């Protein structure tokens, strides 16, 4: 059984109602002119965004629409196998064929499988797989692909080459910018070194920042004068931190002392009550002896028994209070131990963070110094050379199951998913030997 979808033409009928026979077709034409104009504009925009001769790649997102039904367009992504999954027909191989050919292939498939009769199919590129620009560029990363995007334009998306090779004024400005960045980096590196030394001083329970706490392999790269400037503030931080730490430890220590004193008092009271209980028990025994000899009434025994019970109850209560005080003291000692451990852990964590940042700054400085050195070589040796030859465009392009390495010219076009590696060559690489 075949399926066929037709657009509702009620709008055209309603538009022509009430019009004289002579002008009816003219009125219908007027009704469809805005729709026709909009269709033409959409077609022009789609062609500008992705022409029919654009070859589909893995990762491209396709916008697919069956114009004979009222369902909205749907988006489908080309899988790694080069297939796109479409309604009613499943997987269709579209990789490496043009948009126009893919549209016609899909249309024929629907007809051959007797799913639609003469369907109107629309297929376009909704979004492309991004490209990646790495290497000697200012802002490496991934960027949205655009049709007809050349290697040179892609470098522009990444902020341009790391060093301007075709403009003397730009090279001068770049050198000043690099020198300024290096100067700021020197300041930051000295600050990090002073902060690292402060943490090391705290771990050693020292009261001041010392140059000796800076690792020996780092000292040659740290400006000692800037370090001494930062040392003043870091010493103040040590004083404030020590005051805060001492104050917090004192609160816990005072609570511990109070708990110890309470335990001592309870011990003394327990000793006194133990003596009282011993005397009371002795009196009970003496009273029983007197009652046995009928020297005192039996009621005396009840009073002595009650006195012994009260003494035992008070003694038991004191023991419970002493036990609770000891538990409190153990908890305070645990707080003190935990405070010291967390404080040391915090210092070790800060030390590792500062050390990591120092290593990053040293690496960044080396990179900036290399760029500045290369720039200075250009400024002294690149005059008269063909500047466009100083940049090499290397592309890694996935084709089928493998990756192909290519060398492109600046005006060569990229394809979605390309990895563009920009290599800036030193000027002496272009000079002929001898």
């Amino acid at each position: 059984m075949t399926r066929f979808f037709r657009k509702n033409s009620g709008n055209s009928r309603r538009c022509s109602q009430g019009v004289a026979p002579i002008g009816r077709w003219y009125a219908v034409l007027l009704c469809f002119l805005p729709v026709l104009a909009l269709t033409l504009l959409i077609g022009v925009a789609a062609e500008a965004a992705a022409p029919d001769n654009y070859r589909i790649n893995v990762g491209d997102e396709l916008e697919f629409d069956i114009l004979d039904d009222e369902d909205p367009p749907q988006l489908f992504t080309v899988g790694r196998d080069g297939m796109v999954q479409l309604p009613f027909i499943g997987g269709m191989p579209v990789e490496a064929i043009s948009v126009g050919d893919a549209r016609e292939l899909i249309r024929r498939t629907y007809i051959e499988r007797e799913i639609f009769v003469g369907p109107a199919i629309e297929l376009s590129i909704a979004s492309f797989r991004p490209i990646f620009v790495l290497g000697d560029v200012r802002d490496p990363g991934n960027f949205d692909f655009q049709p007809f995007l050349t290697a040179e334009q892609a470098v522009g998306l990444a902020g341009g080459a790391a060093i301007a090779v075709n403009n003397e004024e730009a090279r001068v400005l770049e050198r000043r910018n690099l020198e300024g960045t290096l100067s700021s980096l020197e300041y930051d590196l000295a600050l990090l070194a002073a902060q690292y030394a402060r943490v090391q001083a705290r771990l050693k329970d020292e009261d001041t920042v010392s140059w000796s706490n800076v690792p020996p392999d780092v000292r040659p790269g740290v400006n000692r004068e800037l370090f001494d400037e930062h040392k003043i503030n870091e010493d103040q931080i040590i004083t404030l931190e020590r005051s805060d730490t001492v104050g917090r430890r004192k609160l816990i220590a005072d609570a511990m002392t109070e708990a110890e004193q309470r335990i001592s008092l309870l011990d003394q009271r327990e000793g006194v009550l133990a003596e009282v209980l011993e005397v009371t028990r002795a009196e009970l025994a003496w009273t029983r002896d007197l009652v046995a000899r009928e020297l005192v009434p039996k009621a005396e025994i009840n009073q002595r028994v009650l006195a012994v019970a009260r003494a035992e109850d008070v003694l038991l209560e004191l023991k419970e209070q002493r036990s609770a005080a000891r538990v409190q003291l153990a908890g305070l000692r645990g707080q003190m131990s935990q405070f010291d451990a967390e404080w040391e852990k915090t210092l070790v964590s800060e030390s590792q963070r500062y050390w990591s940042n120092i290593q990053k700054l040293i690496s960044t400085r080396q990179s900036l110094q290399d760029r500045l050195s290369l720039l200075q070589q250009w400024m002294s040796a690149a005059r008269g050379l063909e500047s466009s030859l100083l940049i090499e465009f290397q592309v890694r392009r996935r084709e089928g199951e493998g990756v192909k390495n290519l060398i492109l010219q600046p005006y060569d076009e990229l394809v979605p998913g390309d990895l563009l590696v920009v290599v800036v060559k030193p000027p002496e690489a272009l000079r002929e030997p001898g």
Side-chain angles (χ1 to χ4, degrees):
M1 178 179 179
T2 61
R3 302 180 59 183
F4 181 64
F5 297 88
R6 299 184 59 185
K7 293 288 186 179
N8 189 345
S9 60
N11 290 337
S12 61
R13 290 198 295 270
R14 285 194 299 270
C15 185
S16 60
Q17 289 176 356
V19 181
I22 298 177
R24 179 171 299 172
W25 292 108
Y26 178 72
V28 172
L29 179 61
L30 289 178
C31 289
F32 281 101
L33 274 177
V35 178
L36 179 60
L38 180 60
T39 304
L40 291 175
L41 287 176
I42 293 176
V44 172
E47 183 176 0
D52 276 2
N53 61 358
Y54 168 78
R55 294 189 176 276
I56 299 173
N57 282 272
V58 172
D60 288 344
E61 190 174 43
L62 307 180
E63 181 177 288
F64 175 74
D65 188 19
I66 302 174
L67 301 178
D68 294 314
D69 63 16
E70 296 181 356
D71 294 334
Q74 301 181 60
L75 299 179
F76 301 94
T77 302
V78 181
R80 295 180 62 88
D81 57 357
M83 307 281 284
V84 61
Q85 301 296 324
L86 297 176
F88 309 123
I89 58 176
M92 289 290 297
V94 295
E95 182 185 11
I97 65 176
S98 68
V99 174
D101 291 343
R103 185 188 301 114
E104 182 59 27
L105 174 62
I106 295 170
R107 181 179 180 278
R108 289 201 313 268
T109 303
Y110 275 120
I111 295 174
E112 292 170 356
R113 296 186 184 181
E114 298 184 350
I115 297 174
F116 295 110
V117 177
I121 301 297
E122 180 54 45
L123 183 72
S124 61
I125 304 295
S127 63
F128 303 91
R129 191 169 51 165
I131 61 168
F132 300 83
V133 184
L134 305 176
D136 297 327
V137 291
R138 298 180 188 276
D139 300 308
N142 61 305
F143 304 91
D144 293 336
F145 176 80
Q146 303 171 19
F148 313 114
L149 181 68
T150 66
E152 193 172 45
Q153 292 170 337
V155 174
L157 293 177
I163 298 177
V165 299
N166 58 351
N167 189 306
E168 181 67 23
E169 181 180 357
R171 289 198 294 267
V172 172
L173 293 176
E174 178 69 12
R175 183 186 65 182
R176 293 178 180 176
N177 179 60
L178 288 174
E179 291 173 346
T181 303
L182 282 171
S183 177
S184 176
L185 188 146
E186 291 294 333
Y187 180 89
D188 294 339
L189 184 58
L191 174 59
L192 283 174
Q195 292 172 333
Y196 179 84
R198 168 175 58 80
V199 175
Q200 295 301 312
R202 295 293 287 120
L203 286 171
K204 298 176 182 178
D205 199 25
E206 298 173 350
D207 296 329
T208 183
V209 173
S210 173
W211 176 253
S212 62
N213 284 331
V214 179
D217 56 334
V218 174
R219 295 175 198 168
V222 178
N223 187 309
R224 180 63 185 273
E225 294 181 359
L226 292 175
F227 176 87
D228 291 337
E229 292 180 7
H230 294 306
K231 177 182 181 301
I232 299 174
N233 292 332
E234 298 304 316
D235 284 342
Q236 294 177 351
I237 293 176
I238 286 182
T239 301
L240 294 174
E241 288 181 342
R242 180 177 292 278
S243 176
D244 177 68
T245 304
V246 170
R248 292 167 64 183
R249 293 187 86 260
K250 186 176 183 302
L251 291 175
I252 301 176
D254 290 344
M256 291 173 57
T257 301
E258 184 178 349
E260 290 171 348
Q261 291 176 352
R262 184 183 179 191
I263 292 174
S264 177
L265 290 175
L266 291 173
D267 287 341
Q268 294 177 18
R269 290 186 61 188
E270 183 180 350
V272 173
L273 283 175
E275 293 178 358
V276 172
L277 178 61
E278 184 178 354
V279 171
T280 305
R281 286 173 175 171
E283 290 177 348
L284 175 61
W286 177 68
T287 302
R288 284 174 175 169
D289 181 64
L290 293 176
V291 170
R293 290 186 292 171
E294 297 182 351
L295 297 176
V296 296
K298 292 182 178 181
E300 292 289 334
I301 294 179
N302 295 334
Q303 294 179 359
R304 296 300 180 184
V305 170
L306 183 60
V308 170
R310 283 198 298 265
E312 290 176 345
D313 184 63
V314 173
L315 184 60
L316 180 61
E317 183 179 353
L318 284 177
K319 289 182 177 180
E320 291 178 350
Q321 293 178 2
R322 184 181 62 179
S323 177
R326 287 178 175 175
V327 171
Q328 181 186 16
L329 179 60
L332 291 171
R333 287 173 176 169
Q335 290 182 23
M336 180 68 79
S337 177
Q338 183 179 5
F339 175 81
D340 292 338
E342 289 183 352
W343 175 244
E344 184 175 359
K345 180 180 177 181
T346 300
L347 291 177
V348 171
S349 177
E350 286 187 5
S351 175
Q352 294 174 345
R353 176 165 55 86
Y354 288 138
W355 178 250
S356 176
N357 290 336
I358 286 174
Q359 295 300 315
K360 290 179 181 178
L361 278 187
I362 290 177
S363 177
T364 302
R365 180 178 62 183
Q366 184 61 48
S367 175
L368 291 174
Q369 288 174 342
D370 291 343
R371 285 176 57 185
L372 183 59
S373 175
L374 180 59
L375 180 62
Q376 290 172 341
Q377 292 179 35
W378 274 344
M379 295 182 72
S380 61
R383 294 183 178 88
L385 292 176
E386 182 61 35
S387 59
S388 62
L389 297 178
L390 295 174
I391 299 180
E392 185 175 82
F393 303 92
Q394 303 176 4
V395 167
R396 298 171 190 169
R397 178 174 299 167
R398 181 172 295 278
E399 293 184 354
E401 297 297 328
V403 176
K404 188 175 182 180
N405 296 318
L406 304 172
I407 301 297
L408 300 186
Q409 295 300 318
Y411 47 80
D412 287 338
E413 296 180 5
L414 301 176
V415 301
D418 272 355
L419 170 62
L420 175 63
V421 180
V422 180
V423 179
V424 178
K425 297 181 292 185
E428 60 267 18
L430 299 178
R431 295 188 180 278
E432 297 182 359

